[in-house]
Protein backbone atom coordinates (compact mmCIF):
# COMPACT_ATOMS: atom_id res chain seq x y z
CA UNK A 1 0.00 0.00 0.00
CA UNK A 2 1.31 3.49 -0.86
CA UNK A 3 2.22 5.54 2.21
CA UNK A 4 0.42 8.53 3.61
CA UNK A 5 2.84 11.25 2.50
CA UNK A 6 3.49 14.55 4.24
CA UNK A 7 5.39 17.31 2.42
CA UNK A 8 7.19 19.40 5.04
CA UNK A 9 8.92 18.67 8.33
CA UNK A 10 8.15 21.92 10.12
CA UNK A 11 5.88 22.04 13.16
CA UNK A 12 2.84 21.32 10.97
CA UNK A 13 4.24 18.27 9.20
CA UNK A 14 5.76 16.71 12.31
CA UNK A 15 2.76 17.45 14.53
CA UNK A 16 0.32 15.77 12.17
CA UNK A 17 2.70 12.78 11.92
CA UNK A 18 2.88 12.48 15.71
CA UNK A 19 -0.89 12.78 16.06
CA UNK A 20 -1.34 10.14 13.37
CA UNK A 21 0.92 7.73 15.23
CA UNK A 22 -1.24 8.10 18.36
CA UNK A 23 -4.10 6.65 16.28
CA UNK A 24 -2.28 4.18 14.04
CA UNK A 25 1.19 2.97 14.96
CA UNK A 26 1.92 1.08 11.76
CA UNK A 27 0.36 2.57 8.63
CA UNK A 28 3.03 3.35 6.03
CA UNK A 29 4.13 6.96 6.51
CA UNK A 30 6.59 9.08 4.56
CA UNK A 31 7.71 12.67 5.14
CA UNK A 32 9.58 14.70 2.56
CA UNK A 33 11.40 17.93 3.21
CA UNK A 34 13.58 20.26 1.23
CA UNK A 35 15.38 21.12 4.48
CA UNK A 36 17.44 18.74 6.62
CA UNK A 37 14.40 17.46 8.53
CA UNK A 38 15.74 18.12 12.03
CA UNK A 39 13.06 19.04 14.56
CA UNK A 40 13.28 22.54 16.05
CA UNK A 41 10.91 25.18 17.30
CA UNK A 42 10.72 27.91 14.67
CA UNK A 43 9.42 30.60 17.08
CA UNK A 44 12.77 30.40 18.87
CA UNK A 45 14.56 31.88 15.85
CA UNK A 46 13.68 35.44 16.84
CA UNK A 47 15.06 35.22 20.37
CA UNK A 48 17.86 32.72 19.90
CA UNK A 49 20.82 35.02 19.35
CA UNK A 50 20.99 36.55 22.83
CA UNK A 51 20.74 33.05 24.29
CA UNK A 52 23.79 32.16 22.18
CA UNK A 53 21.85 29.44 20.37
CA UNK A 54 23.48 28.09 17.23
CA UNK A 55 21.54 26.37 14.44
CA UNK A 56 22.87 23.10 15.88
CA UNK A 57 21.74 23.77 19.46
CA UNK A 58 18.29 24.87 18.26
CA UNK A 59 17.74 21.35 16.94
CA UNK A 60 15.99 19.39 19.67
CA UNK A 61 15.53 16.10 17.79
CA UNK A 62 17.76 15.08 14.85
CA UNK A 63 16.05 13.71 11.75
CA UNK A 64 17.18 10.09 12.29
CA UNK A 65 15.69 10.12 15.79
CA UNK A 66 12.47 11.68 14.44
CA UNK A 67 12.20 8.89 11.85
CA UNK A 68 12.44 6.33 14.68
CA UNK A 69 10.01 8.16 16.96
CA UNK A 70 7.28 8.48 14.38
CA UNK A 71 8.09 5.23 12.59
CA UNK A 72 8.33 6.91 9.19
CA UNK A 73 10.57 7.21 6.16
CA UNK A 74 11.90 10.74 6.06
CA UNK A 75 13.38 12.00 2.82
CA UNK A 76 15.35 15.07 3.88
CA UNK A 77 16.98 17.62 1.56
CA UNK A 78 14.49 16.46 -1.05
CA UNK A 79 12.33 18.90 -2.95
CA UNK A 80 8.94 17.82 -4.26
CA UNK A 81 8.85 19.40 -7.71
CA UNK A 82 5.52 18.19 -9.06
CA UNK A 83 2.24 16.76 -7.98
CA UNK A 84 -0.09 14.69 -10.16
CA UNK A 85 -3.31 14.38 -8.21
CA UNK A 86 -5.01 12.21 -10.86
CA UNK A 87 -2.31 9.53 -10.61
CA UNK A 88 -1.64 10.05 -6.86
CA UNK A 89 2.02 10.69 -7.67
CA UNK A 90 4.61 13.25 -6.62
CA UNK A 91 7.93 13.88 -8.30
CA UNK A 92 11.23 14.05 -6.39
CA UNK A 93 14.68 14.04 -7.96
CA UNK A 94 13.14 12.97 -11.30
CA UNK A 95 11.51 9.93 -9.64
CA UNK A 96 7.81 9.30 -9.14
CA UNK A 97 6.50 8.33 -5.71
CA UNK A 98 2.96 7.17 -5.08
CA UNK A 99 0.88 8.31 -2.14
CA UNK A 100 -2.39 7.09 -0.69
CA UNK A 101 -3.23 10.40 0.97
CA UNK A 102 -1.10 13.54 0.70
CA UNK A 103 -0.64 16.30 3.28
CA UNK A 104 0.80 19.63 2.19
CA UNK A 105 2.63 21.24 5.12
CA UNK A 106 4.89 23.43 3.01
CA UNK A 107 4.95 26.50 5.26
CA UNK A 108 5.38 30.10 4.21
CA UNK A 109 8.08 32.06 2.44
CA UNK A 110 9.54 35.49 2.96
CA UNK A 111 7.95 38.38 1.09
CA UNK A 112 10.58 40.28 -0.90
CA UNK A 113 9.87 43.90 -1.68
CA UNK A 114 11.72 45.37 -4.63
CA UNK A 115 14.55 47.65 -3.49
CA UNK A 116 16.88 49.78 -5.58
CA UNK A 117 20.67 49.81 -5.17
CA UNK A 118 23.64 47.55 -5.81
CA UNK A 119 23.31 45.75 -2.46
CA UNK A 120 19.55 45.11 -2.49
CA UNK A 121 20.31 41.38 -2.53
CA UNK A 122 22.20 41.68 0.78
CA UNK A 123 18.98 42.00 2.77
CA UNK A 124 18.62 38.93 4.98
CA UNK A 125 15.56 37.21 6.39
CA UNK A 126 15.26 34.47 9.00
CA UNK A 127 12.62 31.84 8.34
CA UNK A 128 14.50 28.58 8.97
CA UNK A 129 17.72 27.20 10.42
CA UNK A 130 19.74 27.82 7.26
CA UNK A 131 18.68 31.48 7.24
CA UNK A 132 19.55 31.72 10.92
CA UNK A 133 23.04 30.34 10.21
CA UNK A 134 23.57 33.00 7.50
CA UNK A 135 22.28 35.68 9.83
CA UNK A 136 24.68 34.68 12.61
CA UNK A 137 27.57 34.73 10.15
CA UNK A 138 26.58 38.24 9.01
CA UNK A 139 26.44 39.43 12.63
CA UNK A 140 30.07 38.41 13.24
CA UNK A 141 32.02 41.63 13.61
CA UNK A 142 28.91 43.74 12.95
CA UNK A 143 27.82 46.59 15.22
CA UNK A 144 24.77 48.08 13.53
CA UNK A 145 21.62 46.19 12.49
CA UNK A 146 18.66 47.64 10.62
CA UNK A 147 15.40 45.69 10.87
CA UNK A 148 12.76 46.34 8.24
CA UNK A 149 9.32 45.76 9.77
CA UNK A 150 8.13 46.48 13.31
CA UNK A 151 5.62 43.65 13.43
CA UNK A 152 5.83 40.72 15.81
CA UNK A 153 9.02 39.21 14.39
CA UNK A 154 10.83 42.51 13.81
CA UNK A 155 10.17 43.70 17.37
CA UNK A 156 11.25 40.33 18.79
CA UNK A 157 14.55 40.49 16.89
CA UNK A 158 15.09 44.09 18.04
CA UNK A 159 14.52 43.10 21.66
CA UNK A 160 16.92 40.20 21.26
CA UNK A 161 19.75 41.93 19.41
CA UNK A 162 20.03 45.32 21.16
CA UNK A 163 20.78 43.84 24.62
CA UNK A 164 23.22 41.45 22.91
CA UNK A 165 25.38 44.48 22.05
CA UNK A 166 24.17 45.61 18.62
CA UNK A 167 22.93 49.04 17.76
CA UNK A 168 19.49 48.27 16.32
CA UNK A 169 17.30 50.48 14.14
CA UNK A 170 13.72 49.44 13.44
CA UNK A 171 11.95 50.88 10.38
CA UNK A 172 8.28 50.53 9.45
CA UNK A 173 5.90 52.41 7.14
CA UNK A 174 3.10 52.06 9.73
CA UNK A 175 2.64 54.77 12.37
CA UNK A 176 3.43 52.46 15.32
CA UNK A 177 4.76 49.01 16.30
CA UNK A 178 2.63 45.86 15.90
CA UNK A 179 0.23 48.05 13.91
CA UNK A 180 -1.81 45.16 12.54
CA UNK A 181 -2.32 43.44 15.90
CA UNK A 182 -2.75 45.95 18.71
CA UNK A 183 -4.22 49.40 19.44
CA UNK A 184 -1.82 52.35 19.22
CA UNK A 185 -1.27 52.76 22.96
CA UNK A 186 0.10 49.22 23.17
CA UNK A 187 2.35 49.73 20.14
CA UNK A 188 3.70 52.90 21.69
CA UNK A 189 4.28 51.26 25.05
CA UNK A 190 6.35 48.60 23.31
CA UNK A 191 8.21 51.33 21.39
CA UNK A 192 9.12 53.14 24.62
CA UNK A 193 10.38 49.88 26.11
CA UNK A 194 12.51 49.18 23.04
CA UNK A 195 13.82 52.77 23.03
CA UNK A 196 14.76 52.38 26.69
CA UNK A 197 16.97 49.47 25.61
CA UNK A 198 18.61 51.75 23.03
CA UNK A 199 16.72 50.72 19.86
CA UNK A 200 16.25 53.57 17.34
CA UNK A 201 12.82 53.73 15.71
CA UNK A 202 11.69 55.15 12.38
CA UNK A 203 7.97 55.00 11.67
CA UNK A 204 6.05 56.08 8.57
CA UNK A 205 9.18 55.40 6.53
CA UNK A 206 10.55 52.48 4.55
CA UNK A 207 13.82 51.50 2.95
CA UNK A 208 14.05 52.65 -0.68
CA UNK A 209 17.53 51.56 -1.68
CA UNK A 210 20.59 49.70 -0.41
CA UNK A 211 24.10 50.51 -1.63
CA UNK A 212 27.47 49.10 -0.66
CA UNK A 213 29.22 51.66 1.61
CA UNK A 214 32.85 52.00 2.72
CA UNK A 215 31.96 49.79 5.66
CA UNK A 216 28.67 47.94 5.48
CA UNK A 217 25.71 49.36 3.60
CA UNK A 218 24.08 52.74 3.04
CA UNK A 219 20.28 52.81 3.07
CA UNK A 220 18.14 55.56 1.60
CA UNK A 221 14.72 55.79 3.21
CA UNK A 222 11.50 56.99 1.59
CA UNK A 223 11.94 60.46 3.18
CA UNK A 224 15.42 60.55 1.54
CA UNK A 225 17.19 60.29 4.88
CA UNK A 226 20.37 58.20 4.92
CA UNK A 227 21.24 55.39 7.29
CA UNK A 228 24.45 53.36 7.50
CA UNK A 229 24.45 49.81 8.80
CA UNK A 230 26.34 46.52 8.79
CA UNK A 231 23.43 44.08 8.59
CA UNK A 232 19.91 44.46 7.17
CA UNK A 233 17.20 42.07 8.29
CA UNK A 234 13.83 42.01 6.58
CA UNK A 235 10.93 41.10 8.84
CA UNK A 236 8.18 42.45 6.62
CA UNK A 237 6.18 39.26 6.58
CA UNK A 238 5.66 35.83 5.11
CA UNK A 239 3.19 34.47 2.60
CA UNK A 240 1.90 30.92 2.18
CA UNK A 241 4.06 28.70 -0.05
CA UNK A 242 1.57 27.77 -2.76
CA UNK A 243 3.56 27.05 -5.93
CA UNK A 244 3.32 23.25 -5.84
CA UNK A 245 -0.43 23.38 -5.21
CA UNK A 246 -0.98 26.06 -7.86
CA UNK A 247 0.95 24.09 -10.48
CA UNK A 248 -1.07 20.98 -9.63
CA UNK A 249 -4.32 22.85 -10.25
CA UNK A 250 -5.50 22.86 -6.63
CA UNK A 251 -7.69 25.76 -5.55
CA UNK A 252 -5.42 28.50 -4.20
CA UNK A 253 -6.22 32.00 -3.02
CA UNK A 254 -4.00 33.70 -0.41
CA UNK A 255 -3.12 30.19 0.78
CA UNK A 256 -3.98 26.66 -0.31
CA UNK A 257 -7.76 26.57 0.04
CA UNK A 258 -9.07 23.85 2.36
CA UNK A 259 -12.44 23.13 3.92
CA UNK A 260 -13.16 22.51 7.60
CA UNK A 261 -11.72 18.99 7.21
CA UNK A 262 -8.43 20.48 5.93
CA UNK A 263 -9.24 18.91 2.56
CA UNK A 264 -8.05 20.74 -0.55
CA UNK A 265 -10.14 21.05 -3.70
CA UNK A 266 -8.71 17.67 -4.79
CA UNK A 267 -9.47 14.18 -3.50
CA UNK A 268 -7.01 12.69 -0.96
CA UNK A 269 -4.96 15.89 -0.63
CA UNK A 270 -5.03 17.83 2.64
CA UNK A 271 -3.09 20.85 3.87
CA UNK A 272 -2.30 22.61 7.16
CA UNK A 273 0.09 25.06 8.75
CA UNK A 274 1.42 28.31 7.30
CA UNK A 275 0.62 27.31 3.70
CA UNK A 276 -3.10 27.03 4.23
CA UNK A 277 -6.27 29.11 4.07
CA UNK A 278 -9.09 27.63 6.16
CA UNK A 279 -12.48 29.20 5.48
CA UNK A 280 -10.74 32.36 4.31
CA UNK A 281 -8.40 32.51 7.33
CA UNK A 282 -4.63 32.55 6.92
CA UNK A 283 -3.22 32.19 10.45
CA UNK A 284 0.54 31.63 10.38
CA UNK A 285 0.98 30.74 14.04
CA UNK A 286 1.61 27.63 16.11
CA UNK A 287 -1.75 27.21 17.83
CA UNK A 288 -3.84 26.99 14.64
CA UNK A 289 -1.56 24.31 13.21
CA UNK A 290 -1.68 22.32 16.46
CA UNK A 291 -5.48 22.34 16.41
CA UNK A 292 -5.45 21.43 12.73
CA UNK A 293 -2.95 18.57 13.17
CA UNK A 294 -5.07 16.84 15.83
CA UNK A 295 -8.19 16.71 13.67
CA UNK A 296 -6.38 16.00 10.41
CA UNK A 297 -4.78 12.89 11.93
CA UNK A 298 -8.28 11.60 12.71
CA UNK A 299 -9.50 12.33 9.20
CA UNK A 300 -6.48 10.52 7.72
CA UNK A 301 -7.44 7.34 9.60
CA UNK A 302 -11.02 7.59 8.42
CA UNK A 303 -12.64 9.50 11.31
CA UNK A 304 -13.72 12.61 9.39
CA UNK A 305 -13.31 15.48 11.90
CA UNK A 306 -13.72 19.23 11.30
CA UNK A 307 -11.26 21.76 12.67
CA UNK A 308 -12.38 24.17 15.36
CA UNK A 309 -10.24 27.12 16.32
CA UNK A 310 -10.77 28.41 19.85
CA UNK A 311 -9.46 31.86 20.78
CA UNK A 312 -5.72 31.47 20.22
CA UNK A 313 -3.65 34.09 22.04
CA UNK A 314 -0.20 34.92 20.70
CA UNK A 315 2.61 35.76 23.13
CA UNK A 316 4.89 38.47 21.73
CA UNK A 317 8.40 37.51 22.85
CA UNK A 318 9.58 41.00 23.78
CA UNK A 319 10.79 40.73 27.40
CA UNK A 320 11.17 44.54 27.55
CA UNK A 321 7.37 44.69 27.28
CA UNK A 322 5.70 41.28 27.26
CA UNK A 323 2.42 41.26 25.33
CA UNK A 324 -0.34 38.72 24.81
CA UNK A 325 -2.71 39.35 21.95
CA UNK A 326 -5.84 37.68 20.71
CA UNK A 327 -6.71 39.97 17.81
CA UNK A 328 -10.29 40.57 16.66
CA UNK A 329 -11.16 39.17 13.22
CA UNK A 330 -9.78 41.35 10.42
CA UNK A 331 -12.30 44.01 9.40
CA UNK A 332 -14.61 43.32 12.35
CA UNK A 333 -16.53 46.42 13.39
CA UNK A 334 -16.05 47.55 16.97
CA UNK A 335 -13.82 49.54 19.26
CA UNK A 336 -11.08 49.10 21.84
CA UNK A 337 -11.74 49.87 25.50
CA UNK A 338 -8.44 50.49 27.16
CA UNK A 339 -7.31 50.49 30.80
CA UNK A 340 -3.69 51.61 31.04
CA UNK A 341 -1.45 52.07 34.06
CA UNK A 342 2.03 52.71 32.69
CA UNK A 343 3.31 49.52 31.10
CA UNK A 344 0.31 47.51 32.32
CA UNK A 345 -2.45 47.64 29.74
CA UNK A 346 -5.70 45.77 29.27
CA UNK A 347 -7.29 46.51 25.90
CA UNK A 348 -10.58 44.81 25.12
CA UNK A 349 -12.21 44.94 21.70
CA UNK A 350 -16.02 45.08 21.73
CA UNK A 351 -18.42 44.77 18.77
CA UNK A 352 -21.32 47.26 18.42
CA UNK A 353 -23.44 44.54 20.15
CA UNK A 354 -21.07 44.82 23.17
CA UNK A 355 -19.60 41.38 22.56
CA UNK A 356 -15.96 40.85 23.51
CA UNK A 357 -14.10 39.97 20.28
CA UNK A 358 -10.41 40.48 21.01
CA UNK A 359 -7.95 41.42 23.73
CA UNK A 360 -4.43 42.68 24.25
CA UNK A 361 -2.68 42.44 27.60
CA UNK A 362 0.70 43.76 28.68
CA UNK A 363 2.76 43.67 31.87
CA UNK A 364 0.91 42.58 35.01
CA UNK A 365 -2.40 42.46 33.10
CA UNK A 366 -1.18 39.27 31.41
CA UNK A 367 -2.26 37.51 34.62
CA UNK A 368 -5.86 37.97 33.38
CA UNK A 369 -5.21 36.00 30.22
CA UNK A 370 -6.79 32.69 31.26
CA UNK A 371 -10.04 34.33 32.39
CA UNK A 372 -10.36 36.50 29.30
CA UNK A 373 -9.60 33.72 26.84
CA UNK A 374 -12.62 31.83 28.20
CA UNK A 375 -14.81 34.82 27.37
CA UNK A 376 -13.52 35.28 23.84
CA UNK A 377 -15.45 33.79 20.93
CA UNK A 378 -13.84 30.96 18.95
CA UNK A 379 -11.94 32.03 15.85
CA UNK A 380 -13.69 29.23 13.93
CA UNK A 381 -16.63 27.63 15.71
C1 LIG B 1 11.20 34.16 13.49
C2 LIG B 1 9.82 33.59 13.71
C3 LIG B 1 9.22 33.67 14.96
C4 LIG B 1 7.95 33.17 15.18
N1 LIG B 1 7.38 33.27 16.43
C5 LIG B 1 6.16 32.75 16.63
C6 LIG B 1 5.56 32.81 17.94
O1 LIG B 1 6.11 33.36 18.88
N2 LIG B 1 4.33 32.23 18.11
C7 LIG B 1 3.67 31.61 17.07
O2 LIG B 1 2.56 31.09 17.28
N3 LIG B 1 4.22 31.54 15.83
C8 LIG B 1 5.44 32.09 15.59
N4 LIG B 1 5.99 32.02 14.35
C9 LIG B 1 5.24 31.31 13.29
C10 LIG B 1 5.43 29.78 13.45
O3 LIG B 1 6.78 29.50 13.65
C11 LIG B 1 4.89 29.10 12.19
O4 LIG B 1 3.49 29.31 12.17
C12 LIG B 1 5.16 27.58 12.14
O5 LIG B 1 6.46 27.26 12.51
C13 LIG B 1 4.86 27.10 10.72
O6 LIG B 1 5.11 25.74 10.62
P1 LIG B 1 4.89 24.99 9.23
O7 LIG B 1 5.25 23.58 9.48
O8 LIG B 1 3.56 25.31 8.66
O9 LIG B 1 5.95 25.66 8.22
P2 LIG B 1 7.54 25.54 8.14
O10 LIG B 1 8.16 25.44 9.45
O11 LIG B 1 7.96 26.65 7.24
O12 LIG B 1 7.80 24.16 7.40
C14 LIG B 1 7.62 24.00 6.01
C15 LIG B 1 8.30 22.72 5.59
O13 LIG B 1 7.96 22.44 4.23
C16 LIG B 1 9.13 22.05 3.52
N5 LIG B 1 8.85 22.28 2.10
C17 LIG B 1 8.28 23.35 1.53
N6 LIG B 1 8.12 23.16 0.21
C18 LIG B 1 8.60 21.92 -0.06
C19 LIG B 1 8.72 21.14 -1.24
N7 LIG B 1 8.29 21.57 -2.44
N8 LIG B 1 9.28 19.92 -1.16
C20 LIG B 1 9.70 19.44 0.05
N9 LIG B 1 9.60 20.14 1.20
C21 LIG B 1 9.07 21.36 1.14
C22 LIG B 1 10.22 22.90 4.17
O14 LIG B 1 11.49 22.37 3.93
C23 LIG B 1 9.81 22.78 5.65
O15 LIG B 1 10.27 21.56 6.17
C24 LIG B 1 7.25 32.55 14.11
C25 LIG B 1 7.85 32.46 12.83
C26 LIG B 1 9.12 32.98 12.63
C27 LIG B 1 9.75 32.89 11.26
Amino acid sequence: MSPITIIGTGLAGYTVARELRKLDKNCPLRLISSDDGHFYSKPMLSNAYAQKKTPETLVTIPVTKMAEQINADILAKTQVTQLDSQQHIIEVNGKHLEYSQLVLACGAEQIHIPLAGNAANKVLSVNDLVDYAHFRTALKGAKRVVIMGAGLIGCEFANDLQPAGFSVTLIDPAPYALGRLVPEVVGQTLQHALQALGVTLHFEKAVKSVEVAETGYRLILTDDSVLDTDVILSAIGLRPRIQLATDAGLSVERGIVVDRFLKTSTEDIYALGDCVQVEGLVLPFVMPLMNAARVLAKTLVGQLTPVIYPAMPIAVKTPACPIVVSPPAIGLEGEWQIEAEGKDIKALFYTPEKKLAGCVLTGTKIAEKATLIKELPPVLA
Side-chain angles (χ1 to χ4, degrees), residues 7-12 32-35 42-43 45-46 78-80 105-108 126-127 153 241 273-274 284-286 289 315 317:
I7 304 177
T9 57
L11 290 172
I32 307 177
S33 179
S34 42
D35 62 31
K42 184 178 279 200
L45 290 174
S46 46
T78 305
Q79 176 97 12
V80 177
C106 308
V126 177
N127 184 33
I153 292 174
R241 203 174 267 129
D274 281 9
F285 298 105
V286 175
L289 73 83
K317 304 184 296 294

Side-chain angles (χ1 to χ4, degrees), residues 209-232:
S209 75
V210 187
E211 298 280 351
V212 173
E214 215 164 288
T215 56
Y217 305 105
R218 172 152 292 188
L219 310 183
I220 312 286
L221 308 190
T222 40
D223 64 349
D224 290 328
S225 56
V226 174
L227 197 62
D228 289 332
T229 188
D230 302 310
V231 175
I232 313 149

Side-chain angles (χ1 to χ4, degrees), residues 17 71 96 276 285 322 375:
N71 182 24
H96 287 167
V276 90
F285 298 105
E375 290 175 32

Side-chain angles (χ1 to χ4, degrees), residues 112-132:
H112 293 286
I113 43 162
L115 294 172
N118 62 10
N121 62 347
K122 299 295 177 191
V123 175
L124 301 175
S125 57
V126 177
N127 184 33
D128 58 29
L129 289 174
V130 174
D131 293 343
Y132 179 63

